[in-house]
């Protein structure tokens, strides 16, 4: 249910009032101050690659803390907002907006905002922090290298135009170009074929739609089908996929699995989902021995179930064998079977086929090759974000594979501030050896995970990573409040300055002691030589 943003009577609308108060408090307490028009931002200087939600948010945190940035966006100004600038007009947020506050200053007008409201918040943030003055468009990043002497980063081998950077934030996301696999017989189909992200303006009223795919893109396609008034929808799902209710309490509870993987207790939430959410539709739930809840990003949508119960949507577990003139030929399988197992051949007829086949994952191949090869390649990085060879690089929200509760303003801000700490304080900066040991330790602790140790995580697990990262190094303790809340950066900077003065005095004293010792040794040697000379003369 949408939540309006205007202030209303807290007695008549208690949830609305609490929602508004939470947003107001978070904004006042945690939002960095936007730079003034005449502000001269200083070091460290950060290159932000990508103008989506993560790129704009991390850049806003940087300039809010006095650091200069340059955003490199491959598209035009209309592409500010990343993937949200390219999806359908009928698309909206699947999780509650309270869990999708990508920056503390965001002020949602609905509990589940649509594409236009999301883009509006991103672009307001971009302008409020004067990032429009620090963004270059139609500039895809093809290379990032370090200067051999300054050790600073040069983008696209063009230091003359862009200067040098102390650090890099990679914010290319996980959704690039639409992925449309070729399926035999596509040319013979007499109806329309569209990718799930290119449905705006396409007429579907009264038509039979066939959706190929069973993930988040399928949900987006269903939203379009319902909005446009399609007569019948078939969802052809090849793999098993959990669906969880569009409920913030349920979503938060599932994100509280600190282990970030299937455990001996995972059957408990799976049991309640089957009995209370799926109910008579339990047959479309993944079997416990095939697909655990904490192995893949679930779909978050309650309307799917309502549409299936109404009969307007049919969810079919099947393999796609090819297109026909009137529809799609499938191999329909029973629950518990694997793709390509024996099943029943059927033809599903329809007027329009929607390819809900997702997007190509953007590459990080502009980074040095040593980041992308061997045992420590993404997502096997420090905190899944920092390549151990280069702690001055943070790849935020573009290395993870799957998760529950993995989107929120808190972790984008934490990652960004950790990078600033690593750049500002060399004693808090992790060494390559210890970054690799953290990766090895995490892999050992999650060695029984049915997927890779860094291929799935929960939000609480992410919080544990952050806590451990700060707690393990005493030189990071002074930064803890700044890292977690973005407040009080002046105090740790004063401590860093005091540490530098103390270190310089100790070095000077050590040099003085070594000089005194050298003089003493020289005096002793002179006495020994004088004594030997006297004995020889005698």
């Amino acid at each position: 249910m949408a939540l309006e943003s205007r202030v209303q009577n807290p007695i008549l609308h208690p949830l609305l009032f609490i929602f508004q108060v939470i947003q107001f408090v978070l904004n006042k307490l945690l939002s960095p101050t936007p730079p003034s028009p005449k502000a001269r931002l200083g070091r460290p200087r950060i290159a932000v690659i990508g103008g989506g939600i993560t790129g704009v948010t991390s850049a806003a945190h940087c300039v809010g803390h006095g650091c200069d940035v340059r955003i490199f966006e491959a598209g035009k100004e209309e592409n500010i907002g990343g993937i949200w600038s390219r999806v359908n007009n009928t698309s909206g947020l699947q999780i509650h907006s309270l869990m999708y506050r990508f920056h503390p200053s965001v002020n949602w007008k609905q509990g589940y905002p649509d594409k236009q409201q999301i883009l509006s918040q991103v672009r307001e943030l971009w302008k409020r922090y004067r990032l429009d003055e620090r963004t270059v468009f139609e500039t895809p990043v093809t290379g990032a290298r370090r200067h051999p002497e300054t050790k600073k980063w040069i983008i696209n081998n063009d230091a003359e135009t862009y200067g040098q950077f102390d650090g890099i934030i990679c914010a290319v996301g996980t959704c690039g170009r639409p992925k449309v696999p070729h399926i035999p017989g596509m040319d013979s189909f007499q109806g329309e074929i569209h990718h799930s992200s290119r449905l705006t303006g396409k007429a579907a009223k009264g038509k039979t739609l066939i959706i190929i795919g069973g993930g988040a893109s399928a949900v987006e396609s269903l939203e379009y089908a319902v909005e446009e008034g399609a007569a019948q929808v078939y969802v052809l799902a090849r793999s098993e996929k959990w669906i969880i209710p569009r409920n913030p309490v349920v979503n938060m509870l599932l994100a509280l699995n600190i282990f970030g993987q299937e455990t001996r207790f995972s059957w408990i939430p799976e049991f309640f989902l089957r009995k209370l959410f799926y109910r008579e539709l339990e047959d479309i739930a993944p079997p416990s021995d095939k697909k655990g809840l904490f192995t893949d990003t679930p779909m978050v949508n309650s309307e799917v179930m309502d549409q299936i119960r109404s009969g307007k949507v049919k969810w079919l577990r099947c393999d796609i064998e090819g297109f026909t003139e009137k529809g799609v030929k499938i191999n329909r399988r029973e629950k518990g079977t694997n793709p390509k197992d024996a099943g029943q051949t059927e033809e599903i007829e329809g007027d329009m086929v929607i390819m809900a086949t997702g997007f190509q994952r953007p590459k990080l191949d502009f980074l040095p090759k040593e980041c992308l090869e061997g045992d420590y390649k993404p997502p096997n990085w420090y905190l899944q974000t920092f390549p151990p060879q280069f702690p001055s690089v943070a790849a935020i929200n573009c290395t993870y594979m799957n998760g529950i509760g993995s989107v929120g303003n808190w972790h984008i801000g934490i990652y960004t501030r950790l990078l600033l700490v690593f750049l500002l304080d060399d004693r808090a900066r992790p060494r390559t050896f210890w970054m690799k040991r953290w990766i090895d330790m995490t892999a050992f602790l999650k060695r029984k995970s049915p997927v890779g140790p860094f291929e799935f995580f929960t939000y609480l697990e992410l919080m544990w990573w952050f806590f451990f990262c700060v707690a393990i190094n005493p030189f990071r303790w002074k930064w803890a409040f700044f890292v977690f809340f973005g407040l009080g950066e002046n105090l740790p900077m004063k401590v860093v300055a005091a540490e530098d003065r103390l270190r310089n005095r100790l070095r000077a004293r050590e040099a003085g002691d070594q000089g005194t010792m050298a003089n003493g040794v020289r005096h002793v040697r002179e006495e020994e030589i004088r004594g030997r000379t006297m004995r020889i003369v005698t």
Side-chain angles (χ1 to χ4, degrees):
M1 178 179 177
L3 298 175
E4 299 298 331
S5 63
R6 63 182 182 274
V7 178
Q8 299 187 33
N9 191 315
I11 298 177
L12 298 178
H13 305 278
L15 294 179
L16 168 61
F17 181 74
I18 293 172
F19 181 73
Q20 293 172 328
V21 169
I22 290 174
Q23 291 197 107
F24 177 82
V25 172
L26 290 175
N27 180 26
K28 294 300 181 182
L29 287 181
L30 303 180
S31 292
T33 303
S36 63
K38 297 182 179 180
R40 297 185 63 181
L41 300 178
R43 295 289 183 183
R45 188 165 185 257
I46 312 295
V48 179
I49 302 173
I53 284 181
T54 300
V56 171
T57 301
S58 57
H61 281 292
C62 287
V63 299
H65 296 301
C67 303
D68 194 13
V69 301
R70 178 67 64 93
I71 299 177
F72 295 86
E73 167 55 43
K76 300 180 180 180
E77 183 173 340
E78 63 193 35
N79 296 118
I80 288 293
I83 185 62
W84 283 106
S85 69
R86 304 194 300 272
V87 297
N88 306 307
N89 289 338
T90 55
S91 299
L93 199 60
Q94 296 303 313
I95 60 175
H96 196 279
S97 57
L98 190 60
M99 302 173 66
Y100 200 78
R101 292 182 50 80
F102 49 85
H103 190 271
S105 65
V106 167
N107 182 26
W108 291 120
K109 297 180 180 180
Q110 291 182 337
Y112 297 93
D114 58 21
K115 165 189 173 178
Q116 288 75 17
Q117 294 167 27
I118 295 170
L119 286 178
S120 174
Q121 289 295 315
V122 177
R123 289 166 180 168
E124 286 179 15
L125 178 68
W126 181 61
K127 292 183 177 180
R128 184 163 58 250
Y129 282 84
R130 311 189 70 83
L131 298 173
D132 51 340
E133 304 169 4
R134 297 175 171 86
T135 303
V136 290
F137 294 103
E138 299 183 78
T139 309
V141 173
T142 57
R145 66 175 180 87
R146 296 180 82 189
H147 191 281
E149 296 179 359
T150 65
K151 303 302 180 184
K152 297 183 185 296
W153 292 95
I154 298 174
I155 302 298
N156 288 350
N157 204 30
D158 192 350
E160 183 177 349
T161 303
Y162 307 118
Q164 299 184 21
F165 298 90
D166 301 282
I168 295 177
I169 293 177
C170 304
V172 297
T174 59
C175 298
R177 296 178 179 179
K179 183 168 56 178
V180 183
H182 177 75
I183 300 175
M186 292 181 77
D187 296 337
S188 64
F189 179 58
Q190 296 179 352
E192 304 173 58
I193 301 176
H194 304 289
H195 187 267
S196 59
S197 64
R198 297 173 176 172
L199 299 173
T200 298
K202 307 295 189 297
K205 185 175 180 62
K207 295 182 178 180
T208 297
L209 272 56
I210 302 173
I211 299 174
I212 297 180
S217 296
V219 172
E220 182 181 10
S221 303
L222 278 172
E223 290 175 334
Y224 158 81
V226 172
E227 183 74 18
E228 293 295 320
Q232 181 69 56
V233 180
Y234 294 93
V235 179
L236 311 183
R238 179 175 181 269
S239 58
E240 306 285 359
K241 194 82 171 179
W242 278 96
I243 306 173
I244 61 177
R246 208 181 191 192
N247 184 298
V249 176
V250 174
N251 302 156
M252 290 180 185
L253 288 175
L254 293 176
L256 292 180
N257 176 1
I258 195 171
F259 300 103
Q261 62 182 17
E262 286 288 294
T263 69
R264 65 181 61 185
F265 301 109
S266 297
W267 67 269
I268 298 176
E270 294 172 5
F271 172 82
F272 282 109
L273 282 173
R274 285 192 177 92
K275 299 304 180 185
L276 301 180
F277 182 58
Y278 283 88
R279 303 198 300 274
E280 75 280 7
L281 301 175
E282 189 175 339
D283 180 67
I284 69 173
S288 299
D289 59 339
K290 294 285 186 181
K291 190 82 167 184
L293 178 60
F294 298 99
T295 59
D296 194 6
T297 303
M299 290 189 292
V300 185
N301 195 288
S302 300
E303 192 173 10
V304 172
M305 296 302 193
D306 296 335
Q307 294 295 322
I308 294 175
R309 291 188 177 98
S310 70
K312 294 182 179 180
V313 174
K314 295 186 182 299
W315 193 282
L316 307 180
R317 183 185 291 105
C318 63
D319 301 310
I320 308 298
E321 294 190 343
F323 277 75
T324 65
E325 291 185 357
K326 297 182 178 181
V328 178
K329 182 186 290 187
I330 65 172
N331 173 44
R332 189 169 183 178
R333 296 181 281 107
E334 296 295 328
K335 182 176 182 178
T337 58
N338 297 316
K340 297 185 179 180
D341 282 354
Q344 182 178 351
T345 300
E346 296 182 15
E347 181 181 4
I348 307 299
E349 296 184 357
D351 305 302
M352 179 190 296
V353 173
I354 300 176
M355 304 296 290
T357 46
F359 300 85
Q360 298 176 10
R361 178 178 286 268
K363 296 181 179 180
L364 294 169
D365 54 0
F366 52 82
L367 294 175
K369 289 184 178 180
E370 51 263 46
C371 298
L372 311 173
E373 299 175 343
D375 296 332
Y376 303 99
K377 58 185 177 182
N380 299 338
W381 283 355
Y382 184 67
L383 303 181
Q384 206 188 44
T385 299
F386 298 89
Q389 302 88 345
F390 300 104
S392 57
V393 174
I396 306 176
N397 282 352
C398 56
T399 61
Y400 73 83
M401 309 298 288
N402 293 286
I404 291 183
S406 58
V407 176
N409 73 280
W410 205 19
H411 83 274
I412 296 177
I414 288 177
Y415 277 135
T416 303
R417 290 188 291 270
L418 272 175
L419 176 65
L420 297 182
V421 169
F422 295 165
L423 296 174
L424 291 168
D425 187 357
D426 62 345
R427 287 173 293 280
R429 186 182 310 137
R431 303 296 182 259
T432 296
F433 174 84
W434 290 113
M435 294 173 82
K436 290 182 176 180
R437 298 297 78 77
W438 181 90
I439 296 169
D440 295 339
M441 178 195 69
T442 305
F444 174 78
L445 294 176
K446 297 185 69 173
R447 64 192 182 280
K448 295 184 179 180
S449 173
V451 295
F454 294 94
E455 293 183 11
F456 181 92
F457 63 91
T458 58
Y459 209 78
L460 189 60
E461 180 188 14
L462 196 64
M463 294 302 103
W464 157 245
W465 288 1
F466 292 145
F467 173 80
F468 182 84
C469 168
V470 174
I472 197 66
N473 187 334
F475 287 106
R476 296 178 194 155
W477 294 351
K478 59 182 175 291
W479 291 103
F481 203 66
F482 170 69
V483 167
F484 287 114
F485 303 105
L487 303 174
E489 67 265 30
N490 292 329
L491 177 60
M493 284 304 299
K494 292 179 180 178
V495 175
V496 170
E499 290 172 345
D500 288 338
R501 290 193 297 270
L502 177 61
R503 185 164 57 174
N504 292 335
R505 283 199 298 267
L506 291 175
R507 286 176 177 173
R509 181 179 300 175
E510 182 180 354
D513 292 342
Q514 290 177 351
T516 302
M517 184 179 298
N519 290 333
V521 170
R522 187 163 53 251
H523 178 72
V524 170
R525 289 186 61 81
E526 289 175 353
E527 289 296 326
E528 289 178 350
I529 293 172
R530 188 178 298 111
R532 291 174 185 172
T533 304
M534 290 298 295
R535 286 195 296 271
I536 293 172
V537 172
T538 303

